[in-house]
Structure formats: structure tokens, C-alpha cells
Amino acid sequence: QVQLVESGGGLVQAGGSLRLSCAASGSSGRTLSPYNMAWFRQAPGKEREFVAAIDWSGGTTYYTDSVKDRFTISRDNAKNTVYLQMNSLRPEDTAVYYCARSQTPFNSGIATMSGAYNYWGQGTQVTVSS
């Protein structure tokens, strides 16, 4: 079993920055390193949407268009942690942010569909005021 715990959310003014963390733990030692990881978000009244993902090696990243050049996903496999650095935040970035782990290890392709991820955290609230 794997647990993902997000942290770092909060209230910030437009134009500000936040850094989200997602710490993985579980009975198996390799809870994060062989897997692609992603961040999704869900705003009130909207469906959960893909934000960013990083492959298991950390060499490839992918972002939804609305966050390109503002958000950066990274990972530290030694710490079993994934990060999402969010800069130039906008009110439309307000949402609950979730991290997720891919179903299969050593996957060369990065998925943007939620169905490709089978472990999810509880989410952390990000609120951007105008």
C-alpha cells in the first residue's frame, strides 16, 4: 500500500508563488522512484484536470498549456517526494491540488488522463486572491 500526502497549499495573492510537495510512503521501499508522477487539480464545480507530470527518471516533464512557463514539476527520488513550484499565480489557479502515482513502473509515456494513475493523495487547497 502507498500513501501520498500533499502539503504547501495556502492563500496567496495573484502574482505570488507557492511550492507544493507530495511525500510518498508505504510498505515497499520503492514507493515513488520507478513511477511517473503527476499533479491534477479540481476547482469548485469543475472536473479534475491534469496540471503537470514527470517521468520516473525525472528527465521528461509535461504541462497543460495554461500553466506552461509558470509551473515546474520536479522530483527527489531519494526523498520519495515530488514538487510543484507555482509562480505567477492567477485566481483561475484556485483549486484543490492532488498528486498521483502511475499504475505501471518504468513507463516511457507520460499520461494526462486520471485513469492512468491509481494512487492519489487527499489534496491541498490553493487559493489565489485577485
Side-chain angles (χ1 to χ4, degrees), residues 15-26:
S17 298
L18 285 173
R19 188 193 195 202
L20 306 184
S21 298
C22 171
S25 62

Side-chain angles (χ1 to χ4, degrees), residues 26 54 86 104-105 130:
I54 187 167
M86 305 186 296
T104 56
S130 57

Side-chain angles (χ1 to χ4, degrees), residues 38-84:
W39 287 93
F40 287 75
R41 66 186 179 187
Q42 187 167 18
K46 295 187 177 181
E47 293 188 353
R48 190 172 298 189
E49 66 171 351
F50 171 83
V51 176
I54 187 167
D55 77 338
W56 61 273
S57 72
T60 301
T61 57
Y62 188 78
Y63 301 89
T64 192
D65 285 346
S66 63
V67 308
K68 282 180 182 177
D69 300 324
R70 298 190 300 123
F71 291 10
T72 302
I73 188 171
S74 62
R75 65 192 297 159
D76 185 337
N77 287 340
K79 295 183 178 180
N80 278 324
T81 303
V82 177
Y83 305 97
L84 186 67

